[in-house]
Amino acid sequence: MRSGLSPRHAAVLLVLTLVWGFNWPVMKVGVQGLPPLTFRGLSLLIGLPCLALALVWLKVPLRLPRREWALVGRLFVTNMFAWHVLLMLALPHLSSGRAAILGYTMPVFSALWGWHRGERLSRPQVLGVAATGLAVLLLLWHEVTRLSGAPVAALVVLGAAAVWAVGTRQMRDARTDAHVLTLSLWMTVLTTVGVWALAVPLEAARWGPVTWPAIWATLYNGLLVFGYCQPAWLYLARTLPPVASSISVMLIPVLGIGSGAFFLGEALHWQDGAAVLLILLAIGLVLLPPRVWRRA
């Protein structure tokens, strides 16, 4: 595993960061025009053939060996299914920027998961966890004190981030000979089936005419998020160390909250600004190698 970023890795990270960062207000538009699980299910259906065509173009095998199915069955739940379902259910009740801040606490949960498994937390990492806790308290406090606050939705997004952190570590530690894009394809297939298994009984009664903004939001998610970002993230998680593969999360919540305010007119409060600064500090503390802080 390489310790640095190659030009190829840097390019993948740049596009990933921009697409995922601007996707937060795009998703908000999507769930305003479609039931949330239906919106996610349609995006997955669009992304699947794009991903399959990419594998064919790259000459990556589509077939998954039988011995790998148990692994994929475990990985898809924590890396994709739980994150997407929980996020979609919570997003209609939160601003896109606030959801982005809460969702990208993932690296801190990853550090806590490592500590739970016996890894020692450095002093900067402990400070990072504390900063994240303070940021979450600020956001939850604002949600509780607002008349239309949604603290439960905020906690659901935190839960989704915690499960995603487990999945990222499982993906990194997985012992498999299968290509990461092959794993991504079949994880996406299983996630699509799971999302529609929930969407049909829960949301079919709400299906109706679809607005053009919701259509564009669905295409953005299908083509760019599932056709590119999801396999790109898994590729980075498998080929780079934790520090390098998590670099993009430093900017995604900033892009999310900024683009939500710019494109959707979402009101920003001092709690949002303080929370995003605390989360950025926490991610830096958690991701930077301890020797950087010793030199400082």
Side-chain angles (χ1 to χ4, degrees):
M1 186 175 286
R2 302 181 59 173
S3 59
L5 282 175
S6 67
R8 180 179 182 181
H9 285 133
V12 171
L13 267 176
L14 176 62
V15 177
L16 176 83
T17 302
L18 293 173
V19 172
W20 258 349
F22 289 115
N23 189 45
W24 289 92
V26 172
M27 286 192 297
K28 187 69 176 181
V29 171
V31 298
Q32 288 172 343
L34 283 165
L37 294 177
T38 302
F39 164 67
R40 183 49 87 219
L42 290 172
S43 302
L44 284 160
L45 286 177
I46 293 170
L48 259 178
C50 298
L51 182 54
L53 288 173
L55 266 68
V56 172
W57 181 62
L58 295 170
K59 298 181 180 179
V60 174
L62 296 175
R63 180 179 174 275
L64 187 70
R66 183 179 299 177
R67 65 180 181 276
E68 305 287 355
W69 276 105
L71 173 65
V72 170
R74 294 193 302 271
L75 290 178
F76 99 93
V77 174
T78 53
N79 278 277
M80 293 187 67
F81 181 72
W83 165 258
H84 291 300
V85 169
L86 293 175
L87 177 63
M88 286 299 104
L89 293 177
L91 189 58
H93 309 288
L94 294 168
S95 71
S96 63
R98 184 152 296 180
I101 297 170
L102 293 168
Y104 281 87
T105 55
M106 183 275 287
V108 180
F109 281 113
S110 183
L112 286 173
W113 177 244
W115 173 73
H116 174 71
R117 296 177 60 190
E119 297 177 11
R120 183 177 176 272
L121 288 179
S122 65
R123 184 175 299 177
Q125 288 176 322
V126 173
L127 292 174
V129 171
T132 299
L134 180 57
V136 170
L137 285 175
L138 280 173
L139 295 179
L140 290 179
W141 173 73
H142 186 262
E143 290 293 342
V144 170
T145 55
R146 288 168 55 212
L147 182 62
S148 59
V152 173
L155 290 173
V156 168
V157 178
L158 281 177
V163 176
W164 183 22
V166 173
T168 297
R169 279 186 167 263
Q170 289 176 336
M171 189 69 191
R172 187 174 292 121
D173 298 337
R175 296 183 179 181
T176 175
D177 295 325
H179 195 286
V180 65
L181 292 180
T182 307
L183 294 176
S184 179
L185 173 68
W186 291 107
M187 286 165 59
T188 305
V189 169
L190 293 176
T191 301
T192 304
V193 173
V195 168
W196 280 108
L198 293 176
V200 171
L202 295 177
E203 298 180 345
R206 298 162 54 191
W207 291 349
V210 183
T211 63
W212 276 108
I215 291 173
W216 286 114
T218 304
L219 290 173
Y220 183 101
N221 274 258
L223 298 174
L224 297 180
V225 173
F226 290 109
Y228 174 79
C229 288
Q230 191 68 49
W233 175 260
L234 296 176
Y235 161 73
L236 293 171
R238 288 288 291 174
T239 58
L240 290 176
V243 172
S245 64
S246 299
I247 283 175
S248 67
V249 300
M250 295 286 288
L251 288 177
I252 289 174
V254 178
L255 286 173
I257 196 170
S259 57
F262 183 81
F263 292 111
L264 302 182
E266 294 177 345
L268 297 180
H269 305 276
W270 71 265
Q271 292 94 339
D272 298 298
V276 77
L277 290 175
L278 285 167
I279 292 297
L280 290 176
L281 173 63
I283 293 171
L285 288 166
V286 167
L287 296 181
L288 286 177
R291 62 179 178 274
V292 174
W293 297 103
R294 285 199 295 267
R295 285 200 301 267

